[in-house]
Structures are given as structure tokens and as C-alpha cells.
Amino acid sequence: MSDSRNVKNFYHNKALTSPYPRSHVERAHVPADKVDWLTEWKDYQPVEYTAVSILSGPQWADPQAPPLCFSPTKKHKIMFLFVTFCRWKRDRSGNKIAHPVTGKNILQFVAIKRRDCGEWAIPGGMVDPGEKISATLKREFGEEALNSLQKSPEEKAELEKQLQRLFSQEHFVVYRGYVDDPRNTDNAWMETEAVNYHDETGETMDNLPLEAGDDAGMVKWVDISEKLKLYANHSYFIKLVTEKRGAHWSEEAGPECPE
């Protein structure tokens, strides 16, 4: 964690919110100079907390350890994958739309509105044991952004063809590592691999039959800019995509830095 970024603001912002999501349990306060795990803190006494959803025993979660086994040195990570599908914003004639101030073309991405908190986010989900990353990405995007779980066998077969075309396109890994997520606790946290697929011509993604499903309340194409307020640190992932594609992000000139 020791790099040129501001550790507190980048790595631990939403992960410091209290109480824990959908609970009345207050999070232990961690001073900014004690955030890094390598910093010695003899008085550290974290609150022992496990979300109800974890206690129900989902297959992607570690077995619940007995309370006496808890130790700040015994940490667990959960692998969470995100997939961003992007296209250029275009007018009715098919021409790319540029931002009036920066002159850079505007990107759009598929966003879902989470049911649990009402915030907009990148589609994604937990990796099941033994599941390949590509399979997780395809499954989660289909369930959240295309409502694949509610489709008939015939509709699922057609969706599978579309998903195959989508995931056969060029892509790159946007980010790997820790995620600033409000569900993180003092001994368990999210890590991710965020992947971007970009449709340069719009021929593939323009025909996506977007329909919210599973954990998503809504789904739509969203214009990308620094004004985006997304769940956890998803805005940072989207910012990295705009830098890669040379797209519009901010009207303010200045050095690039993470949120």
C-alpha cells in the first residue's frame, strides 16, 4: 500500500464508513496514520462483525471461524470481479459526440443500480470455487444486466450467442487488487479484477437487450465523466478506462490523480 497515492483517501474511504451496511454495528475507528497493516498499533481492538449474508453460508465465502480464533493477523479476502462494457456516445447520424469544453469524445458504459443500497455500479459478482474468471464475468453480466435468470430456454440460448460475441472482443485488465468497499471489515476485505471490453464501432453493444435482473434494480448506458458518483471505488476503475481510451473525464486541467 505504500505508494505515491494518499492511502486514506484512495484505499480507505468508503471502507471506513460506520455503521456496517444494513446493520447497527459501529465500525472500530482507525486513525489515518494506522490504516496500513504494516503499522504497529498495540491498542488495536477491532470490532468482530460478520454480515448476515455471510452467516448464511454462500459458497464463495470462507467457513465462519470460532470467535476465539479471531486475530488481526488472520485476514480473509474475497475475490470480486467487475466487467465494464464501453462504447462511444454518438448522435443520430452515428458520429462520435465530443465534450464541448475538452473536445475529447465521450464514453458510455453499462451501469446497474444496486438493489441493496440504491447506488449505481459496474456489473460484477463473486467468484465461485473453481470457476474461471471469464465464466464469472459472463455469468454475472448476464444475470445483472440482461436478466438471464428469468429467460426461457430459447431466450437463454440466444443470449448465450450474444454474450459469446461480447466476450470474444478485445479487452484489457483495468485494475487488480484491493477494493474500497463499505462491506470490508477489519479482518476481511474485497479484492478484484476489473476488466474492460470496448466496442469501437458500436455494432455489437448497441444491440444489447439490457434488462435489470438479480441484484440490479435498473440498468442503462451512462455517460462517463468525473461527475459520476458510483458504488465503492468504481469511479476510479472507470477513470482508468477513460485514460486508456483517451476519452473525456474532467473539465479541469491538472495532474491526474485517483479519487
Side-chain angles (χ1 to χ4, degrees):
M1 291 186 181
S2 56
D3 60 13
S4 60
R5 298 168 180 144
N6 182 300
V7 173
K8 179 178 183 296
N9 289 337
F10 175 65
Y11 287 104
H12 296 280
N13 187 356
K14 296 189 178 182
L16 292 178
T17 57
S18 190
Y20 284 104
R22 297 172 298 285
S23 82
H24 299 289
V25 180
E26 295 292 333
R27 189 188 300 268
H29 175 67
V30 180
D33 61 346
K34 299 293 193 300
V35 164
D36 197 312
W37 274 106
L38 299 179
T39 301
E40 183 177 359
W41 186 16
K42 295 181 180 179
D43 296 328
Y44 177 53
Q45 294 185 343
V47 174
E48 185 175 331
Y49 172 76
T50 302
V52 174
S53 60
I54 304 299
L55 292 175
S56 65
Q59 59 180 335
W60 43 261
D62 288 338
Q64 181 72 0
L68 293 178
C69 293
F70 176 83
S71 166
T73 61
K74 181 179 176 61
K75 301 182 284 291
H76 304 272
K77 64 181 179 181
I78 297 173
M79 191 62 178
F80 201 105
L81 300 180
F82 297 105
V83 58
T84 60
F85 281 101
C86 293
R87 67 181 184 186
W88 297 111
K89 186 175 184 179
R90 298 177 185 273
D91 59 24
R92 293 184 178 180
S93 299
N95 301 310
K96 296 178 184 177
I97 297 177
H99 189 272
V101 175
T102 65
K104 292 185 176 182
N105 294 326
I106 298 174
L107 267 180
Q108 296 180 314
F109 81 105
V110 176
I112 63 165
K113 190 172 185 179
R114 295 175 59 100
R115 291 184 186 275
D116 56 357
C117 62
E119 295 185 77
W120 288 92
I122 300 170
M126 308 293 186
V127 181
D128 291 338
E131 188 175 38
K132 293 183 179 180
I133 288 178
S134 58
T136 301
L137 292 172
K138 186 187 294 185
R139 173 175 56 80
E140 288 293 339
F141 185 78
E143 292 175 1
E144 293 187 337
L146 303 177
N147 197 22
S148 61
L149 293 177
Q150 302 301 318
K151 302 297 184 183
S152 67
E154 294 77 15
E155 291 172 325
K156 287 182 179 179
E158 182 58 34
L159 276 182
E160 181 59 32
K161 293 178 183 178
Q162 290 180 296
L163 287 171
Q164 189 61 38
R165 288 195 294 269
L166 284 174
F167 283 89
S168 65
Q169 297 181 98
E170 175 191 358
H171 68 278
F172 77 97
V173 176
V174 178
Y175 176 87
R176 286 192 183 100
Y178 172 86
V179 180
D180 181 22
D181 193 292
R183 295 168 293 183
N184 292 343
T185 69
D186 289 277
N187 71 319
W189 66 89
M190 300 283 189
E191 290 198 6
T192 191
E193 179 167 310
V195 179
N196 173 246
Y197 288 82
H198 177 73
D199 187 2
E200 181 65 28
T201 65
E203 294 177 358
T204 301
M205 296 187 191
D206 282 355
N207 297 320
L208 272 180
L210 296 181
E211 181 181 350
D214 196 25
D215 297 329
M218 293 178 61
V219 59
K220 66 178 181 178
W221 286 100
V222 173
D223 292 357
I224 294 176
S225 79
E226 66 174 348
K227 297 178 181 179
L228 279 174
K229 301 299 180 184
L230 302 177
Y231 178 79
N233 60 347
H234 292 196
S235 293
Y236 176 62
F237 302 154
I238 293 296
K239 181 177 185 291
L240 294 178
V241 173
T242 65
E243 292 175 351
K244 173 73 173 182
R245 304 298 179 188
H248 168 73
W249 173 257
S250 173
E251 296 181 29
E252 297 295 330
E256 296 292 333
C257 60
E259 294 184 341

